[in-house]
């Protein structure tokens, strides 16, 4: 039962343009949503999070948008850089608790 | 400071053998998680330790899987009588109590022949 879904396995974007990574979820009880970035042969790295009571959180080039009515969140990276090329996972949790539900990841390629 | 470390980085074993995977969390992190990522799939939650509380084992796929953690330090994940479907990257993560983000180790790549 996949409670967090990333329907696009891959995305290619030109350097300098905006990258938009999407994520959908099914459980309206999730309290926090997170994005992780993963390079090959490394573990995921926490990138940015958003509480369910907010609709936007921004950190430098990264902005996460949350649409609770649509059960949808997105990560915007602008401007995209070649070093952003990685697999991006979205995740959701309830409270500060234990179970993180991860999506299957989207592989982003930023073309120089 | 050191991040989360895992050993071995790679493990090849024969079907039916037992394997033990090790995770050293970041010092001071009370929470420790084990995940599994099979090829082409997302991260699958296995088990969660928080301080001295009873672990949440709800993600363990079968009784061949077990994990231990000594206090707030090292954890070992043991897979008994390995099967080919156990082949995956096993990731460990740790976090501070009340903090949302986790810090992941590099993973152990397990291949069961």
């Amino acid at each position: 039962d996949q409670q967090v879904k990333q329907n696009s396995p891959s995305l290619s974007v030109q350097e300098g343009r905006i990258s938009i990574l999407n994520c959908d979820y099914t459980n309206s009880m999730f309290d926090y949503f997170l994005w992780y970035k993963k390079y090959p042969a490394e573990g995921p790295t926490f990138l940015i999070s958003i509480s369910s009571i907010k609709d936007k959180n921004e950190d430098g080039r990264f902005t996460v948008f949350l649409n609770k009515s649509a059960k949808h969140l997105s990560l915007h990276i602008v401007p995209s850089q070649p070093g952003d090329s990685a697999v991006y996972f979205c995740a959701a949790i309830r409270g500060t608790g234990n179970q993180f539900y991860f999506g299957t990841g989207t592989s982003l390629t930023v073309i120089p | 400071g050191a991040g989360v470390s895992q050993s071995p980085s790679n493990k090849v074993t024969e079907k039916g053998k037992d394997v033990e995977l090790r995770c050293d969390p970041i010092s001071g992190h009370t929470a420790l998680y084990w995940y599994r990522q099979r090829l082409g799939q997302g991260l699958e939650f296995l088990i969660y330790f928080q301080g001295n509380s009873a672990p949440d084992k709800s993600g363990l796929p079968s009784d061949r899987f077990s994990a231990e953690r000594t206090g707030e330090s090292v954890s070992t994940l043991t897979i008994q009588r390995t099967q080919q479907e156990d082949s995956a990257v096993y990731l460990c993560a740790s976090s501070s109590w009340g903090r949302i983000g986790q810090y992941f180790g590099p993973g152990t790549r397990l291949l069961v022949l």
Side-chain angles (χ1 to χ4, degrees):
Chain A
D1 178 26
Q2 195 75 18
Q3 297 196 39
V4 177
K5 300 177 183 179
Q6 293 175 259
N7 293 318
S8 298
S10 62
L11 174 69
S12 290
V13 171
Q14 207 71 31
E15 181 179 4
R17 298 289 185 96
I18 184 171
S19 295
I20 300 176
L21 298 124
N22 294 303
C23 181
D24 297 291
Y25 61 95
T26 58
N27 190 339
S28 58
M29 301 298 289
F30 287 135
D31 294 300
Y32 292 95
F33 302 89
L34 305 90
W35 284 95
Y36 288 80
K37 176 179 177 179
K38 184 181 184 301
Y39 292 117
E42 295 182 11
T45 303
F46 170 67
L47 201 56
I48 191 170
S49 66
I50 187 168
S51 164
S52 63
I53 63 173
K54 297 189 174 181
D55 53 21
K56 178 182 175 182
N57 188 26
E58 190 172 351
D59 183 2
R61 296 185 297 113
F62 302 90
T63 303
V64 56
F65 294 93
L66 176 62
N67 182 336
K68 287 191 293 292
S69 61
K71 294 192 179 69
H72 177 83
L73 69 154
S74 59
L75 175 68
H76 293 211
I77 306 172
V78 55
S80 302
Q81 299 173 354
D84 296 330
S85 297
V87 176
Y88 290 79
F89 291 95
C90 68
I93 59 172
R94 291 181 60 177
T96 54
N98 19 332
Q99 284 222 28
F100 283 64
Y101 296 87
F102 282 84
T104 52
T106 296
S107 178
L108 172 67
T109 301
V110 179
I111 304 163
Chain B
V4 178
S5 61
Q6 292 184 245
S7 61
S9 54
N10 293 281
K11 176 72 177 178
V12 181
T13 191
E14 293 179 345
K15 178 182 172 181
K17 295 285 180 70
D18 297 351
V19 295
E20 196 170 274
L21 312 179
R22 177 187 169 106
C23 171
D24 283 89
I26 292 173
S27 177
H29 280 192
T30 57
L32 187 147
Y33 308 76
W34 282 99
Y35 294 89
R36 173 171 73 175
Q37 185 180 18
R38 291 168 162 166
L39 191 64
Q41 298 187 19
L43 277 69
E44 177 187 357
F45 168 78
L46 296 178
I47 189 168
Y48 162 76
F49 296 90
Q50 174 60 55
N52 294 318
S53 302
D56 177 352
K57 304 179 182 180
S58 60
L60 295 178
S62 76
D63 59 7
R64 296 187 296 105
F65 288 73
S66 62
E68 293 183 349
R69 187 183 187 194
T70 306
E72 295 182 355
S73 61
V74 172
S75 175
T76 54
L77 176 69
T78 302
I79 309 173
Q80 295 178 310
R81 305 181 302 282
T82 53
Q83 303 294 312
Q84 288 180 333
E85 62 264 28
D86 299 335
S87 296
V89 177
Y90 288 81
L91 289 157
C92 173
S94 70
S95 67
S96 297
W97 171 249
R99 297 293 297 272
I100 299 300
Q102 301 165 307
Y103 294 82
F104 279 83
T108 294
R109 283 149 194 80
L110 174 66
L111 178 61
V112 182
L113 300 175

Short mmCIF file of all heavy atoms in Angstrom, two decimals, chain B residues 44-93:
data_model
loop_
_atom_site.label_atom_id
_atom_site.label_comp_id
_atom_site.label_asym_id
_atom_site.label_seq_id
_atom_site.Cartn_x
_atom_site.Cartn_y
_atom_site.Cartn_z
N GLU B 44 11.68 1.25 2.06
CA GLU B 44 10.71 0.47 2.80
C GLU B 44 11.11 0.45 4.27
O GLU B 44 12.20 -0.04 4.62
CB GLU B 44 10.68 -0.95 2.21
CG GLU B 44 9.78 -1.93 2.90
CD GLU B 44 9.97 -3.33 2.33
OE1 GLU B 44 10.75 -3.50 1.38
OE2 GLU B 44 9.35 -4.27 2.87
N PHE B 45 10.26 0.97 5.12
CA PHE B 45 10.55 1.01 6.56
C PHE B 45 10.64 -0.40 7.12
O PHE B 45 9.80 -1.25 6.83
CB PHE B 45 9.45 1.79 7.26
CG PHE B 45 9.46 1.67 8.77
CD1 PHE B 45 10.36 2.39 9.53
CD2 PHE B 45 8.56 0.83 9.41
CE1 PHE B 45 10.37 2.26 10.92
CE2 PHE B 45 8.56 0.71 10.79
CZ PHE B 45 9.46 1.44 11.55
N LEU B 46 11.64 -0.64 7.95
CA LEU B 46 11.80 -1.95 8.59
C LEU B 46 11.57 -1.88 10.09
O LEU B 46 10.72 -2.59 10.63
CB LEU B 46 13.20 -2.51 8.30
CG LEU B 46 13.54 -2.81 6.85
CD1 LEU B 46 14.98 -3.31 6.73
CD2 LEU B 46 12.58 -3.84 6.26
N ILE B 47 12.36 -1.04 10.78
CA ILE B 47 12.30 -1.02 12.22
C ILE B 47 12.79 0.33 12.72
O ILE B 47 13.58 1.00 12.06
CB ILE B 47 13.13 -2.17 12.83
CG1 ILE B 47 12.91 -2.30 14.34
CG2 ILE B 47 14.61 -2.01 12.50
CD1 ILE B 47 13.48 -3.59 14.93
N TYR B 48 12.32 0.71 13.91
CA TYR B 48 12.64 2.02 14.49
C TYR B 48 12.96 1.83 15.96
O TYR B 48 12.22 1.16 16.70
CB TYR B 48 11.44 2.94 14.32
CG TYR B 48 11.39 4.17 15.19
CD1 TYR B 48 12.19 5.26 14.91
CD2 TYR B 48 10.51 4.25 16.26
CE1 TYR B 48 12.12 6.41 15.68
CE2 TYR B 48 10.44 5.39 17.04
CZ TYR B 48 11.24 6.47 16.74
OH TYR B 48 11.17 7.61 17.49
N PHE B 49 14.07 2.43 16.40
CA PHE B 49 14.45 2.46 17.81
C PHE B 49 14.40 3.91 18.29
O PHE B 49 14.88 4.81 17.61
CB PHE B 49 15.89 1.95 17.99
CG PHE B 49 16.09 0.51 17.63
CD1 PHE B 49 16.44 0.14 16.34
CD2 PHE B 49 15.94 -0.49 18.59
CE1 PHE B 49 16.65 -1.18 16.01
CE2 PHE B 49 16.15 -1.82 18.27
CZ PHE B 49 16.50 -2.17 16.97
N GLN B 50 13.84 4.12 19.46
CA GLN B 50 13.84 5.45 20.07
C GLN B 50 14.25 5.30 21.53
O GLN B 50 13.47 4.80 22.35
CB GLN B 50 12.47 6.11 19.96
CG GLN B 50 12.36 7.44 20.69
CD GLN B 50 13.33 8.49 20.18
OE1 GLN B 50 13.38 8.81 19.00
NE2 GLN B 50 14.13 9.01 21.08
N GLY B 51 15.45 5.73 21.84
CA GLY B 51 15.95 5.65 23.20
C GLY B 51 15.84 4.25 23.76
O GLY B 51 16.21 3.27 23.12
N ASN B 52 15.29 4.17 24.96
CA ASN B 52 15.14 2.87 25.61
C ASN B 52 13.74 2.29 25.45
O ASN B 52 13.41 1.28 26.08
CB ASN B 52 15.46 3.01 27.11
CG ASN B 52 16.92 3.34 27.33
OD1 ASN B 52 17.79 2.78 26.67
ND2 ASN B 52 17.19 4.27 28.24
N SER B 53 12.93 2.92 24.60
CA SER B 53 11.58 2.42 24.37
C SER B 53 11.62 1.13 23.55
O SER B 53 12.61 0.84 22.87
CB SER B 53 10.75 3.46 23.62
OG SER B 53 10.69 4.66 24.33
N ALA B 54 10.55 0.37 23.64
CA ALA B 54 10.45 -0.84 22.82
C ALA B 54 10.48 -0.45 21.34
O ALA B 54 9.81 0.49 20.93
CB ALA B 54 9.17 -1.59 23.14
N PRO B 55 11.25 -1.16 20.54
CA PRO B 55 11.34 -0.79 19.11
C PRO B 55 10.03 -1.04 18.38
O PRO B 55 9.25 -1.92 18.74
CB PRO B 55 12.45 -1.70 18.59
CG PRO B 55 12.52 -2.85 19.53
CD PRO B 55 12.10 -2.31 20.87
N ASP B 56 9.82 -0.27 17.34
CA ASP B 56 8.69 -0.48 16.43
C ASP B 56 9.16 -1.43 15.33
O ASP B 56 9.89 -1.02 14.45
CB ASP B 56 8.23 0.85 15.86
CG ASP B 56 7.10 0.71 14.85
OD1 ASP B 56 6.74 -0.43 14.47
OD2 ASP B 56 6.57 1.75 14.41
N LYS B 57 8.71 -2.67 15.39
CA LYS B 57 9.17 -3.69 14.45
C LYS B 57 8.15 -3.93 13.34
O LYS B 57 8.25 -4.93 12.62
CB LYS B 57 9.39 -5.01 15.18
CG LYS B 57 10.34 -4.93 16.35
CD LYS B 57 10.47 -6.29 17.02
CE LYS B 57 11.39 -6.24 18.23
NZ LYS B 57 11.51 -7.57 18.88
N SER B 58 7.20 -3.02 13.21
CA SER B 58 6.06 -3.29 12.33
C SER B 58 6.44 -3.45 10.86
O SER B 58 5.68 -4.01 10.08
CB SER B 58 5.01 -2.19 12.48
OG SER B 58 5.57 -0.93 12.14
N GLY B 59 7.61 -2.96 10.47
CA GLY B 59 8.00 -3.04 9.08
C GLY B 59 8.81 -4.27 8.71
O GLY B 59 9.09 -4.52 7.53
N LEU B 60 9.20 -5.06 9.69
CA LEU B 60 10.01 -6.25 9.39
C LEU B 60 9.19 -7.22 8.54
O LEU B 60 8.10 -7.60 8.93
CB LEU B 60 10.49 -6.91 10.67
CG LEU B 60 11.46 -6.11 11.53
CD1 LEU B 60 11.82 -6.85 12.80
CD2 LEU B 60 12.72 -5.75 10.75
N PRO B 61 9.72 -7.66 7.41
CA PRO B 61 8.91 -8.45 6.47
C PRO B 61 8.66 -9.89 6.91
O PRO B 61 7.69 -10.49 6.44
CB PRO B 61 9.74 -8.41 5.18
CG PRO B 61 11.13 -8.12 5.61
CD PRO B 61 11.04 -7.31 6.86
N SER B 62 9.51 -10.44 7.75
CA SER B 62 9.30 -11.81 8.21
C SER B 62 10.10 -12.03 9.49
O SER B 62 10.90 -11.18 9.89
CB SER B 62 9.75 -12.82 7.14
OG SER B 62 11.16 -12.93 7.10
N ASP B 63 9.88 -13.18 10.12
CA ASP B 63 10.60 -13.46 11.37
C ASP B 63 12.06 -13.83 11.11
O ASP B 63 12.81 -14.08 12.05
CB ASP B 63 9.90 -14.56 12.17
CG ASP B 63 9.77 -15.86 11.40
OD1 ASP B 63 10.34 -15.97 10.30
OD2 ASP B 63 9.08 -16.77 11.89
N ARG B 64 12.47 -13.85 9.85
CA ARG B 64 13.91 -14.04 9.57
C ARG B 64 14.70 -12.76 9.84
O ARG B 64 15.92 -12.81 9.92
CB ARG B 64 14.10 -14.47 8.11
CG ARG B 64 13.48 -15.81 7.75
CD ARG B 64 13.85 -16.24 6.34
NE ARG B 64 13.33 -15.34 5.32
CZ ARG B 64 14.05 -14.46 4.65
NH1 ARG B 64 15.37 -14.35 4.89
NH2 ARG B 64 13.50 -13.68 3.72
N PHE B 65 13.98 -11.66 9.96
CA PHE B 65 14.61 -10.36 10.17
C PHE B 65 14.52 -9.99 11.64
O PHE B 65 13.45 -10.09 12.26
CB PHE B 65 13.92 -9.27 9.35
CG PHE B 65 14.18 -9.34 7.87
CD1 PHE B 65 13.60 -10.33 7.09
CD2 PHE B 65 15.01 -8.42 7.25
CE1 PHE B 65 13.84 -10.40 5.72
CE2 PHE B 65 15.25 -8.47 5.89
CZ PHE B 65 14.67 -9.46 5.12
N SER B 66 15.63 -9.52 12.20
CA SER B 66 15.62 -9.02 13.57
C SER B 66 16.66 -7.92 13.67
O SER B 66 17.58 -7.83 12.85
CB SER B 66 15.92 -10.14 14.57
OG SER B 66 17.21 -10.67 14.35
N ALA B 67 16.51 -7.08 14.66
CA ALA B 67 17.47 -6.00 14.88
C ALA B 67 17.60 -5.74 16.36
O ALA B 67 16.67 -5.95 17.13
CB ALA B 67 17.04 -4.73 14.14
N GLU B 68 18.79 -5.31 16.72
CA GLU B 68 19.08 -4.95 18.09
C GLU B 68 19.78 -3.61 18.12
O GLU B 68 20.44 -3.22 17.16
CB GLU B 68 19.98 -6.00 18.75
CG GLU B 68 19.33 -7.36 18.94
CD GLU B 68 20.26 -8.32 19.66
OE1 GLU B 68 21.44 -8.00 19.82
OE2 GLU B 68 19.79 -9.40 20.05
N ARG B 69 19.64 -2.94 19.24
CA ARG B 69 20.38 -1.70 19.44
C ARG B 69 20.80 -1.65 20.89
O ARG B 69 19.97 -1.86 21.79
CB ARG B 69 19.55 -0.48 19.09
CG ARG B 69 20.38 0.81 19.14
CD ARG B 69 19.57 2.03 18.87
NE ARG B 69 20.45 3.20 18.77
CZ ARG B 69 20.02 4.45 18.79
NH1 ARG B 69 18.72 4.71 18.91
NH2 ARG B 69 20.88 5.44 18.70
N THR B 70 22.04 -1.36 21.13
CA THR B 70 22.57 -1.26 22.49
C THR B 70 22.48 0.19 22.93
O THR B 70 23.21 1.05 22.42
CB THR B 70 24.04 -1.72 22.53
OG1 THR B 70 24.15 -3.02 21.97
CG2 THR B 70 24.53 -1.73 23.97
N GLY B 71 21.58 0.47 23.84
CA GLY B 71 21.41 1.84 24.31
C GLY B 71 21.11 2.78 23.18
O GLY B 71 20.17 2.56 22.41
N GLU B 72 21.88 3.83 23.07
CA GLU B 72 21.70 4.79 21.97
C GLU B 72 22.89 4.75 21.05
O GLU B 72 23.30 5.76 20.48
CB GLU B 72 21.48 6.19 22.54
CG GLU B 72 20.20 6.32 23.33
CD GLU B 72 19.95 7.72 23.84
OE1 GLU B 72 20.84 8.59 23.66
OE2 GLU B 72 18.88 7.96 24.43
N SER B 73 23.44 3.54 20.87
CA SER B 73 24.60 3.43 20.00
C SER B 73 24.34 2.47 18.86
O SER B 73 23.31 2.50 18.22
CB SER B 73 25.82 3.02 20.84
OG SER B 73 25.60 1.76 21.44
N VAL B 74 25.28 1.59 18.65
CA VAL B 74 25.30 0.72 17.48
C VAL B 74 24.05 -0.14 17.37
O VAL B 74 23.50 -0.59 18.38
CB VAL B 74 26.55 -0.18 17.54
CG1 VAL B 74 26.53 -1.24 16.46
CG2 VAL B 74 27.81 0.66 17.47
N SER B 75 23.64 -0.37 16.15
CA SER B 75 22.54 -1.29 15.88
C SER B 75 23.00 -2.33 14.87
O SER B 75 23.81 -2.04 13.98
CB SER B 75 21.33 -0.56 15.33
OG SER B 75 20.30 -1.46 14.97
N THR B 76 22.48 -3.54 15.04
CA THR B 76 22.75 -4.59 14.06
C THR B 76 21.42 -5.13 13.53
O THR B 76 20.48 -5.35 14.29
CB THR B 76 23.56 -5.75 14.65
OG1 THR B 76 22.88 -6.23 15.83
CG2 THR B 76 24.95 -5.31 15.02
N LEU B 77 21.37 -5.31 12.24
CA LEU B 77 20.22 -5.93 11.58
C LEU B 77 20.66 -7.30 11.12
O LEU B 77 21.67 -7.43 10.40
CB LEU B 77 19.77 -5.09 10.38
CG LEU B 77 18.63 -5.66 9.52
CD1 LEU B 77 17.32 -5.64 10.30
CD2 LEU B 77 18.48 -4.86 8.23
N THR B 78 19.95 -8.33 11.56
CA THR B 78 20.30 -9.70 11.21
C THR B 78 19.22 -10.29 10.31
O THR B 78 18.03 -10.16 10.60
CB THR B 78 20.44 -10.56 12.48
OG1 THR B 78 21.45 -9.98 13.33
CG2 THR B 78 20.85 -11.98 12.13
N ILE B 79 19.67 -10.91 9.24
CA ILE B 79 18.76 -11.63 8.36
C ILE B 79 19.18 -13.09 8.38
O ILE B 79 20.31 -13.43 8.01
CB ILE B 79 18.81 -11.09 6.92
CG1 ILE B 79 18.62 -9.56 6.89
CG2 ILE B 79 17.71 -11.76 6.08
CD1 ILE B 79 18.83 -8.95 5.52
N GLN B 80 18.28 -13.93 8.82
CA GLN B 80 18.59 -15.36 8.90
C GLN B 80 18.08 -16.05 7.64
O GLN B 80 17.08 -15.65 7.04
CB GLN B 80 17.91 -15.96 10.13
CG GLN B 80 18.45 -15.42 11.45
CD GLN B 80 17.72 -16.00 12.65
OE1 GLN B 80 16.49 -16.01 12.69
NE2 GLN B 80 18.47 -16.50 13.61
N ARG B 81 18.78 -17.11 7.27
CA ARG B 81 18.37 -17.95 6.13
C ARG B 81 17.99 -17.08 4.93
O ARG B 81 16.87 -17.11 4.43
CB ARG B 81 17.19 -18.84 6.54
CG ARG B 81 17.47 -19.69 7.76
CD ARG B 81 16.29 -20.58 8.13
NE ARG B 81 15.06 -19.82 8.39
CZ ARG B 81 14.79 -19.18 9.50
NH1 ARG B 81 15.68 -19.15 10.49
NH2 ARG B 81 13.65 -18.54 9.64
N THR B 82 18.95 -16.29 4.49
CA THR B 82 18.68 -15.30 3.44
C THR B 82 18.07 -15.93 2.20
O THR B 82 18.37 -17.08 1.83
CB THR B 82 19.96 -14.56 3.05
OG1 THR B 82 20.98 -15.51 2.72
CG2 THR B 82 20.44 -13.64 4.15
N GLN B 83 17.20 -15.15 1.57
CA GLN B 83 16.55 -15.53 0.32
C GLN B 83 16.96 -14.53 -0.75
O GLN B 83 17.37 -13.40 -0.44
CB GLN B 83 15.04 -15.52 0.49
CG GLN B 83 14.52 -16.41 1.60
CD GLN B 83 14.78 -17.87 1.32
OE1 GLN B 83 14.50 -18.35 0.21
NE2 GLN B 83 15.32 -18.59 2.29
N GLN B 84 16.80 -14.89 -2.00
CA GLN B 84 17.20 -14.01 -3.09
C GLN B 84 16.41 -12.70 -3.06
O GLN B 84 16.95 -11.64 -3.41
CB GLN B 84 17.04 -14.72 -4.44
CG GLN B 84 18.08 -15.80 -4.65
CD GLN B 84 17.94 -16.50 -5.98
OE1 GLN B 84 16.85 -16.59 -6.54
NE2 GLN B 84 19.04 -17.02 -6.49
N GLU B 85 15.17 -12.75 -2.60
CA GLU B 85 14.38 -11.52 -2.54
C GLU B 85 14.83 -10.56 -1.44
O GLU B 85 14.34 -9.43 -1.37
CB GLU B 85 12.89 -11.83 -2.36
CG GLU B 85 12.54 -12.55 -1.08
CD GLU B 85 12.43 -14.05 -1.28
OE1 GLU B 85 13.09 -14.61 -2.18
OE2 GLU B 85 11.68 -14.68 -0.50
N ASP B 86 15.78 -11.01 -0.60
CA ASP B 86 16.35 -10.11 0.40
C ASP B 86 17.40 -9.19 -0.20
O ASP B 86 17.85 -8.25 0.45
CB ASP B 86 17.00 -10.91 1.54
CG ASP B 86 16.02 -11.80 2.28
OD1 ASP B 86 14.80 -11.49 2.28
OD2 ASP B 86 16.46 -12.83 2.85
N SER B 87 17.79 -9.45 -1.43
CA SER B 87 18.78 -8.61 -2.10
C SER B 87 18.25 -7.18 -2.20
O SER B 87 17.17 -6.94 -2.74
CB SER B 87 19.10 -9.14 -3.50
OG SER B 87 19.69 -10.43 -3.43
N ALA B 88 19.00 -6.24 -1.67
CA ALA B 88 18.56 -4.85 -1.62
C ALA B 88 19.68 -4.01 -1.02
O ALA B 88 20.71 -4.54 -0.59
CB ALA B 88 17.30 -4.71 -0.75
N VAL B 89 19.46 -2.72 -1.00
CA VAL B 89 20.31 -1.82 -0.23
C VAL B 89 19.63 -1.60 1.11
O VAL B 89 18.45 -1.24 1.15
CB VAL B 89 20.53 -0.47 -0.94
CG1 VAL B 89 21.36 0.45 -0.05
CG2 VAL B 89 21.21 -0.68 -2.28
N TYR B 90 20.35 -1.85 2.18
CA TYR B 90 19.81 -1.67 3.52
C TYR B 90 20.39 -0.37 4.07
O TYR B 90 21.60 -0.22 4.22
CB TYR B 90 20.14 -2.86 4.41
CG TYR B 90 19.33 -4.08 4.01
CD1 TYR B 90 19.73 -4.87 2.93
CD2 TYR B 90 18.14 -4.39 4.65
CE1 TYR B 90 18.96 -5.95 2.52
CE2 TYR B 90 17.36 -5.46 4.25
CZ TYR B 90 17.79 -6.24 3.18
OH TYR B 90 17.02 -7.31 2.77
N LEU B 91 19.49 0.56 4.37
CA LEU B 91 19.89 1.89 4.82
C LEU B 91 19.54 2.09 6.29
O LEU B 91 18.47 1.70 6.74
CB LEU B 91 19.19 2.96 3.99
CG LEU B 91 19.67 3.10 2.54
CD1 LEU B 91 18.60 3.75 1.68
CD2 LEU B 91 20.94 3.93 2.49
N CYS B 92 20.45 2.72 6.98
CA CYS B 92 20.24 3.07 8.38
C CYS B 92 20.19 4.60 8.46
O CYS B 92 20.90 5.30 7.70
CB CYS B 92 21.39 2.52 9.22
SG CYS B 92 21.39 3.03 10.93
N ALA B 93 19.37 5.12 9.33
CA ALA B 93 19.29 6.56 9.53
C ALA B 93 19.14 6.84 11.02
O ALA B 93 18.62 6.01 11.77
CB ALA B 93 18.10 7.15 8.77
#
